[in-house]
Amino acid sequence: MENLTYEQLLKLVEVATRKDPFDYIALVVSSAVTLLAVGMSYFFFKNHSSQVTNEKVIEKEVEKLYEAVDCLFEFCNSVNLYFSMKEKSLLRLKCCETIEGGFKDKVDEATDGVFASFKHAHKAAFILRALGEIETSSLVDIYRSDVIQLRKDIYRVEINFSEPDGVRQLESLLAEYASRVSSLNKQKDQCLDAVAKCKWRIKSVV
């Protein structure tokens, strides 16, 4: 090494630092692998983050759906009790029996209960509409409206009973009472079935 000339040293440095095509290919491949690894990591992270977010959203929607179900059950139970007590009350009225004592208290309690429960029907329909379940929400609204209509007819018969046509109105209502209540029960079942299907539609989004 000590006997090398300046030109020979330059030649050795040139040879040592020279890069052939394979060196550049290796560099490109190495860079590409690094970029690919970074890209895949970002993709999987973003995909996982999006999936976690979707699952949390769906979990919240299912919770709201259960809240709607609770409201609907609350309303349905109050409606069933009200119509059951009112049928007994109307039959006593037809027989000119007095409605008093413990029985009257139960009828009044059922009447107040169904009136208070209409807010539950409104809330159930609102939640369903907010979740995008428009058809199911409409079923609940129709069921609530039909309950209100029968309730109005009962009230009308009760206040008109002392009128000349009162007995006939009462008998007419009692003649169709069972079928109308049965129809309402079918509507109730349709609402509950529709709400149950909402859960699977929401979960299928995952």
Side-chain angles (χ1 to χ4, degrees), residues 8 14 24 47 52 56 62 65 67-68 71 75 91 117 137 149 152-153 160 162 174 177 184 194 202 205-206:
Q8 289 174 323
E14 181 183 351
Y24 290 107
N47 188 52
V52 169
K56 287 183 178 179
V62 171
L65 184 61
E67 185 179 355
C71 289
F75 178 64
L91 288 172
S117 73
S137 176
Q149 186 57 55
K152 285 181 178 179
D153 292 343
N160 290 337
S162 59
L174 285 172
Y177 195 86
L184 287 171
I202 291 173
V205 176
V206 180

Side-chain angles (χ1 to χ4, degrees), residues 3-201:
N3 299 323
L4 291 175
T5 65
Y6 177 73
E7 288 77 10
Q8 289 174 323
L9 285 172
L10 287 178
K11 194 69 174 178
L12 284 173
V13 171
E14 181 183 351
V15 170
T17 58
R18 183 187 301 154
K19 293 185 180 292
D20 59 28
F22 290 104
D23 292 322
Y24 290 107
I25 292 173
L27 180 62
V28 170
V29 170
S30 177
S31 300
V33 169
T34 302
L35 290 173
L36 180 61
V38 172
M40 290 181 67
S41 297
Y42 173 76
F43 171 77
F44 287 124
F45 173 78
K46 184 177 180 181
N47 188 52
H48 176 70
S49 178
S50 177
Q51 184 175 0
V52 169
T53 301
N54 288 339
E55 288 175 354
K56 287 183 178 179
V57 170
I58 290 169
E59 183 180 340
K60 288 293 183 182
E61 289 184 346
V62 171
E63 287 179 4
K64 297 303 292 183
L65 184 61
Y66 282 136
E67 185 179 355
V69 170
D70 289 340
C71 289
L72 189 55
F73 270 121
E74 186 77 25
F75 178 64
C76 292
N77 290 337
S78 297
V79 167
N80 289 342
L81 178 61
Y82 170 76
F83 286 135
S84 175
M85 295 306 300
K86 275 300 179 180
E87 182 178 22
K88 296 174 182 177
S89 176
L90 291 173
L91 288 172
R92 288 195 180 193
L93 186 62
K94 179 183 177 182
C95 296
C96 296
E97 296 179 7
T98 56
I99 301 173
E100 57 186 7
F103 178 74
K104 184 179 184 303
D105 292 340
K106 290 181 180 179
V107 173
D108 290 344
E109 184 179 346
T111 302
D112 293 340
V114 77
F115 179 77
S117 73
F118 279 107
K119 67 177 180 290
H120 296 300
H122 280 292
K123 187 173 182 179
F126 175 80
I127 292 174
L128 291 167
R129 195 173 296 110
L131 291 174
E133 301 294 340
I134 307 301
E135 291 184 8
T136 305
S137 176
S138 296
L139 286 176
V140 174
D141 284 334
I142 293 170
Y143 172 58
R144 175 180 54 82
S145 296
D146 289 346
V147 167
I148 291 174
Q149 186 57 55
L150 180 52
R151 187 168 172 269
K152 285 181 178 179
D153 292 343
I154 292 171
Y155 178 73
R156 188 180 301 110
V157 163
E158 288 177 330
I159 63 173
N160 290 337
F161 182 69
S162 59
E163 299 296 324
D165 196 36
V167 174
R168 187 197 64 79
Q169 291 183 36
L170 173 59
E171 290 177 344
S172 177
L173 178 61
L174 285 172
E176 62 181 19
Y177 195 86
S179 63
R180 290 181 67 176
V181 171
S182 176
S183 178
L184 287 171
N185 285 333
K186 290 179 181 177
Q187 288 179 259
K188 174 193 68 177
D189 292 339
Q190 288 175 350
C191 289
L192 294 174
D193 289 343
V195 171
K197 291 177 182 177
C198 291
K199 178 181 177 182
W200 303 115
R201 280 198 293 272

